[in-house]
C-alpha cells in the first residue's frame, strides 16, 4: 500500500465534516513532504523553516510519530556548534534564485565557520522562536514506545538544551534575563508594527542590490514593503560580516519579544519533562522557566495596556504597539492571576476580538498601523491562534478556547489552509496549502490532541511545583496545573 495513502486512512473518530477536513490537512502535509522534512509552501517557501517544522511535527504526530520525529531531527542536524538552530535549512537541489535571501547571501559555511555553522548544510545565520522542545515532547507523548525504541529523546534532548543555552547566554544582550532577537525575521512576525521604531535606525540596502523572489508568488499588498525588505537585508548583511558572532557585532536592531520568550519558557518546561523521562535531572530547566517568567513579567508586562510589550534594548523602553505577541504569554502556566485576568480581557476586547472569524488579529484592530491584508500588520494567523488556544486551556478558560478552536477549524477549511486570513472577513491571504495551518488543524481535530482537551498532568509532573512562582488563573477559572 502507498504509505502516503496509509497516512490519509489512519482511523480518527470524528464527524464526517471533520473527517473531510482531516483528510484535506493530511494531504497538504503529504504534498509538502520532501522525504526528510516539510516545506511550508511548495511555491513561496521551498526550503525547511525552523519554527514551521516544529508546528508541522505537532500535527504530523497524529499521522506518523516516526515522520514527526524525522521532521525535527532533520532540522536539528543543521544546528550550529554554538547552539543556535538556524531559521532556514536550504535544500541543495533547488536553484539559489528559488528564494531570497539565498544560500549565497547567508554564506553560512564560510562567514559562519567561527560560530560553528555546519559544513554539510547551507543555512541562514539567524534564528526563529524556540517552540522546538515543546514540539519534541508532544511528539514523544504521541507514541512513547516508538520514541523510546528509536532513542528519539536521547538524541534531541542535548541539542535542544544547547539551543536554549545559546538563547539564555549569547542572546541575553541586556543582562535582564530574557533572550533578545536581533532581526525582525527572528521573532517570526516579520513586519509587525512593533519593529517600526527600531527599524527607522537602520539604513536600508538599495533596492538594486537584491531581488525579492517572494513577489514571484506573493501579492505585493500582502507582503512587507520594499523599504522594510531593504532594512532586513542590511541587518542580515551586517550580521554576516561580523561572522554571526553575537559577542562582536553591534546589533542595530535588538528587542526582547514577549512571544519569543514565552515559547522559551514553555520549552524549558518541556526540556525538564524530557530530562525526567531520560532519568536525568531536570531542575535547571524548571528553575530556568521560573527565572524567565519573573523576567518576562518584570520587564515586559504593561498593566495599563493589559498585555506584554516588546522592549527596545537601544532605548531601554517598551514599544507602544499592541501586537498578538503580547497575548501569547498566556501559554505560560505560572503567571500571576491578575496578569491572566487582564490578558483575557484584552483578548476578548475590541482590539483583538474579531467576531466574524473568531480568530486573533496579529495587530490591534483599532490601532493606527492596522492593515487587514499585509502580513503581520493585521491578518489573523493560524499558528498564533493555536498558541493562544493552548494558553486559554492552560488557565482553565475552556469556553473561550472552544470558540477559538471552532474559528480556527472553520477558517482553515474555508480558506484552503491559507497562510493567514483577513480577521474581519475571513478572506484567504498569502499562500494556500500552508503546512503549519494544516498541521495545527490536524492537532485540534485529533481526539487525543493536547490542545483541545484539558491537560491530565499536574504541577508535579511538569516540574512547576515548588518553582516559587504564584499559581495563575483568574478567580474561579479552574486553572489547569499543567505540563505545557
Amino acid at each position: 500500500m502507498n504509505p502516503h495513502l496509509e497516512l490519509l486512512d489512519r482511523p480518527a473518530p470524528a464527524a464526517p465534516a471533520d473527517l473531510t477536513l482531516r483528510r484535506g490537512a493530511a494531504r497538504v502535509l503529504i504534498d509538502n513532504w520532501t522525504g526528510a522534512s516539510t516545506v511550508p509552501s511548495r511555491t513561496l517557501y521551498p526550503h525547511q523553516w525552523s519554527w514551521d517544522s516544529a508546528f508541522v511535527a505537532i500535527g504530523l504526530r497524529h499521522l506518523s510519530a516516526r515522520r514527526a520525529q524525522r521532521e525535527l531531527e532533520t532540522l536539528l542536524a543543521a544546528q550550529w556548534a554554538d547552539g543556535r538552530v538556524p531559521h532556514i535549512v536550504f535544500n541543495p537541489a533547488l536553484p539559489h534564485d528559488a528564494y531570497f535571501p539565498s544560500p549565497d547571501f547567508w554564506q553560512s559555511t564560510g562567514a559562519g565557520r567561527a560560530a560553528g555553522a555546519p559544513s554539510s548544510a547551507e543555512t541562514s545565520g539567524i534564528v526563529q522562536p524556540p517552540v522546538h522542545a515543546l514540539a519534541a515532547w508532544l511528539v514523544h507523548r504521541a507514541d512513547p514506545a516508538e520514541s523510546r525504541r528509536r532513542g528519539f529523546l536521547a538524541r534531541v534532548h542535548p541539542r535542544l538544551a544547547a539551543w536554549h543555552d545559546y538563547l539564555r547566554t549569547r542572546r541575553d544582550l541586556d543582562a535582564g534575563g530574557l533572550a533578545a532577537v536581533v532581526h525582525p525575521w527572528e521573532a517570526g512576525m516579520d513586519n509587525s508594527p512593533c519593529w517600526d521604531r527600531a527599524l527607522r535606525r537602520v539604513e536600508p540596502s538599495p533596492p538594486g542590490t537584491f531581488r525579492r523572489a517572494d513577489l514571484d508568488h506573493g501579492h505585493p499588498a500582502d507582503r512587507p514593503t520594499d523599504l522594510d525588505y531593504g532594512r532586513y537585508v542590511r541587518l542580515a548583511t551586517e550580521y554576516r560580516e561580523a561572522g554571526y558572532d553575537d559577542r562582536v557585532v553591534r546589533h542595530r536592531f535588538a528587542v526582547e519579544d514577549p512571544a519569543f520568550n514565552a515559547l522559551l519558557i514553555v520549552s524549558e518546561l518541556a526540556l525538564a519533562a524530557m530530562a525526567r523521562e531520560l532519568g536525568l535531572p531536570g531542575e535547571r530547566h524548571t528553575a530556568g522557566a521560573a527565572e524567565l517568567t519573573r523576567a518576562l513579567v518584570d520587564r515586559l508586562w504593561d498593566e495599563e495596556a493589559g498585555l506584554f510589550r516588546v522592549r527596545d534594548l537601544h532605548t531601554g523602553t517598551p514599544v507602544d504597539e499592541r501586537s498578538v505577541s503580547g497575548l501569547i504569554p498566556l501559554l505560560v502556566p505560572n503567571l500571576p492571576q491578575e496578569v491572566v485576568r487582564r490578558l483575557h480581557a484584552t483578548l476578548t476586547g475590541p482590539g483583538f476580538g474579531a467576531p466574524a472569524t473568531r480568530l486573533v488579529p496579529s495587530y490591534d484592530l483599532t490601532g493606527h498601523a492596522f492593515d487587514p491584508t499585509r502580513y503581520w500588520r493585521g491578518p489573523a494567523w493560524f499558528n498564533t491562534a493555536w498558541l493562544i488556544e493552548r494558553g486559554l486551556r492552560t488557565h482553565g478558560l475552556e469556553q473561550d478556547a472552544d470558540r477559538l478552536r471552532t474559528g480556527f477549524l472553520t477558517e482553515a477549511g474555508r480558506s484552503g489552509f491559507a497562510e493567514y486570513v483577513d480577521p474581519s472577513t475571513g478572506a484567504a491571504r498569502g499562500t494556500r496549502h500552508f503546512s503549519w495551518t494544516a498541521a495545527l488543524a490536524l492537532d485540534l481535530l485529533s481526539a487525543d490532541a493536547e490542545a483541545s482537551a484539558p491537560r491530565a498532568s499536574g504541577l508535579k509532573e511538569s516540574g512547576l511545583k515548588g518553582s516559587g512562582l504564584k499559581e495563575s488563573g483568574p478567580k474561579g477559572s479552574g486553572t489547569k496545573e499543567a505540563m505545557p
Side-chain angles (χ1 to χ4, degrees), residues 428-474:
R429 310 300 302 190
T431 190
R432 309 300 189 269
H433 309 295
F434 197 67
S435 289
W436 80 27
T437 304
L440 298 176
L442 273 177
D443 190 58
L444 293 179
L445 282 168
S446 297
D448 61 342
E450 300 284 342
S452 62
R455 313 291 196 274
S457 54
L459 283 174
K460 184 175 181 182
E461 179 190 351
S462 72
L464 294 175
K465 192 173 182 65
S467 66
L469 291 170
K470 188 175 181 181
E471 184 178 334
S472 61

Side-chain angles (χ1 to χ4, degrees), residues 196-215:
D196 290 354
R197 185 178 77 182
L199 284 174
R200 282 195 285 270
R201 295 191 292 264
V202 180
E203 179 68 24
S205 294
T209 61
F210 60 92
R211 177 186 172 275
R212 293 186 59 181
D214 63 312
L215 297 183

